Amino acid sequence: MNKILVSLFLLAGLTCHAEADNAEIQRVKEKVITLTERVEHLTNENQLLKGSVSKIQDEVTVLQNQLTSVEAKSDSIDNVLMSGVSSNTELANSNHAVATEKIQVVETASQSNIHQLTVWGIWAIVALLIVAIVIYIVLHRGISKGTDAISSIRAAQGNLEEESVKLDTKLVEILDKQLSIERNQVKADASATQQVVTPDHSLALKVADEITRIEKNISRMDSSVKGYKPLVKAIERIKDNFKANGYEIITYLGQTYNEGMRINPEFVIDETLPEGTRTITSVSKPQVHFKGDLIQKASVTVSQNI
């Protein structure tokens, strides 16, 4: 009987131990299944990543080829622009030489024919300025085709502005001489005839128009441009000479327009202005007085939003 009981106890112990082992084996199997699923998931993700990396490498190769093509085109554009800048610079230098020669001719002839000299001198200067502006426009259009040429174009623009300042300075000197010569001539004629000589305002009006044009041009320039300050001083001198001859210039630039002004207005629409605003934004001819009398009405552009 005792042997039977011992055998039963041993059998029960072995059964419990087997059940415990089976439970542990089941947990291990579950962990193995879980790890297997994770490995499969990671393997799939790895394959996807390999495909993405391959695709990115292909795109990088395409972009590198495109970059090489763009760099080649940029180098070609740079060569064309630099060639154009060199050609236009030579043209500007040639025009400067022609302008210098014409100015010398004008100065030589000024003593013999005041009015004829003034007309031809002004037209020569205006023509040269137009040529300079055309050159600048051509250069400016070429800039948009290549950002690497911006510094070269700016240098060319600075040279053109300097040339413009030189020409305007020379013109102001000529006009100042003209005014002085005409004033002395009027005094001499009055002294010789012992009568009051009626002045001819044609030269004075041309001088006033040129002063207005030059002031408009320099207002758009940087004060660091070579010759800028001497030109401003030259304009101040000729204005003083102008006043000494009894003339007064009024431009109205920047003033609010009203119907009572004795001017010739041209109206343009500007919706950027506050509603109901009328402002004089440009002057083509200034208003000129001689000893208090109006001898020329101003011709202006009025920007309005009404």
Side-chain angles (χ1 to χ4, degrees):
M1 184 66 178
N2 290 331
K3 290 180 178 180
I4 294 172
L5 290 174
V6 171
S7 299
L8 290 173
F9 279 118
L10 290 173
L11 181 61
L14 291 171
T15 302
C16 291
H17 183 71
E19 289 178 353
D21 288 342
N22 289 334
E24 182 65 25
I25 290 171
Q26 185 65 29
R27 285 195 297 271
V28 170
K29 287 182 178 180
E30 291 176 353
K31 288 183 179 180
V32 169
I33 292 171
T34 302
L35 290 173
T36 301
E37 291 176 349
R38 289 184 179 178
V39 168
E40 290 178 353
H41 179 69
L42 291 173
T43 301
N44 293 333
E45 287 187 347
N46 187 39
Q47 292 298 327
L48 291 174
L49 288 173
K50 285 182 178 180
S52 298
V53 168
S54 177
K55 184 178 180 180
I56 290 173
Q57 287 176 343
D58 292 340
E59 291 179 352
V60 167
T61 301
V62 173
L63 289 175
Q64 286 177 341
N65 292 335
Q66 291 178 350
L67 179 60
T68 302
S69 177
V70 170
E71 289 177 347
K73 291 181 180 179
S74 178
D75 292 338
S76 177
I77 290 173
D78 289 345
N79 293 333
V80 172
L81 286 175
M82 294 307 297
S83 177
V85 169
S86 176
S87 176
N88 288 321
T89 300
E90 292 177 359
L91 179 59
N93 292 334
S94 176
N95 288 334
H96 176 255
V98 174
T100 302
E101 182 178 353
K102 289 187 177 181
I103 289 173
Q104 291 175 350
V105 173
V106 170
E107 288 181 334
T108 303
S110 62
Q111 300 299 324
S112 61
N113 195 331
I114 295 175
H115 298 294
Q116 184 178 1
L117 170 64
T118 303
V119 173
W120 285 106
I122 292 174
W123 279 112
I125 297 299
V126 170
L128 291 170
L129 288 176
I130 291 174
V131 171
I133 291 172
V134 170
I135 293 173
Y136 168 71
I137 291 174
V138 172
L139 292 176
H140 184 70
R141 289 179 178 175
I143 292 175
S144 61
K145 298 180 181 178
T147 55
D148 292 340
I150 291 178
S151 57
S152 298
I153 301 302
R154 285 179 177 173
Q157 179 182 353
N159 291 334
L160 290 174
E161 288 180 345
E162 290 180 6
E163 292 302 321
S164 177
V165 168
K166 289 179 182 179
L167 294 173
D168 284 337
T169 301
K170 206 68 177 179
L171 177 60
V172 168
E173 292 176 356
I174 293 174
L175 294 175
D176 194 18
K177 290 178 181 179
Q178 304 288 322
L179 285 174
S180 298
I181 293 172
E182 184 168 275
R183 181 174 58 181
N184 294 333
Q185 185 174 344
V186 169
K187 289 181 179 179
D189 292 343
S191 176
T193 59
Q194 299 298 321
Q195 294 179 356
V196 176
V197 178
T198 302
D200 180 4
H201 301 303
S202 58
L203 176 60
L205 295 179
K206 290 175 183 177
V207 172
D209 292 346
E210 286 302 312
I211 289 175
T212 301
R213 179 190 64 78
I214 294 172
E215 287 183 330
K216 182 179 179 180
N217 287 342
I218 63 176
S219 68
R220 300 171 180 171
M221 294 182 185
D222 193 308
S223 58
S224 61
V225 174
K226 185 178 180 180
Y228 178 92
K229 293 181 179 179
L231 178 58
V232 172
K233 291 182 179 180
I235 292 175
E236 291 176 354
R237 287 197 303 271
I238 199 171
K239 279 186 173 181
D240 292 339
N241 195 353
F242 213 62
K243 289 180 180 179
N245 286 343
Y247 294 96
E248 179 185 7
I249 301 175
I250 303 174
T251 63
Y252 294 106
L253 185 63
Q255 296 187 23
T256 300
Y257 172 77
N258 63 73
E259 300 293 344
M261 289 180 171
R262 298 171 64 187
I263 60 179
N264 298 320
E266 179 181 354
F267 298 97
V268 296
I269 302 298
D270 186 353
E271 296 181 352
T272 63
L273 295 174
E275 188 174 353
T277 300
R278 282 182 164 184
T279 304
I280 298 174
T281 54
S282 181
V283 180
S284 57
K285 282 183 174 295
Q287 184 167 300
V288 182
H289 294 264
F290 178 69
K291 294 182 179 180
D293 296 329
L294 177 66
I295 60 175
Q296 176 176 282
K297 286 186 177 182
S299 297
V300 304
T301 299
V302 180
S303 299
Q304 61 181 4
N305 185 13
I306 57 175

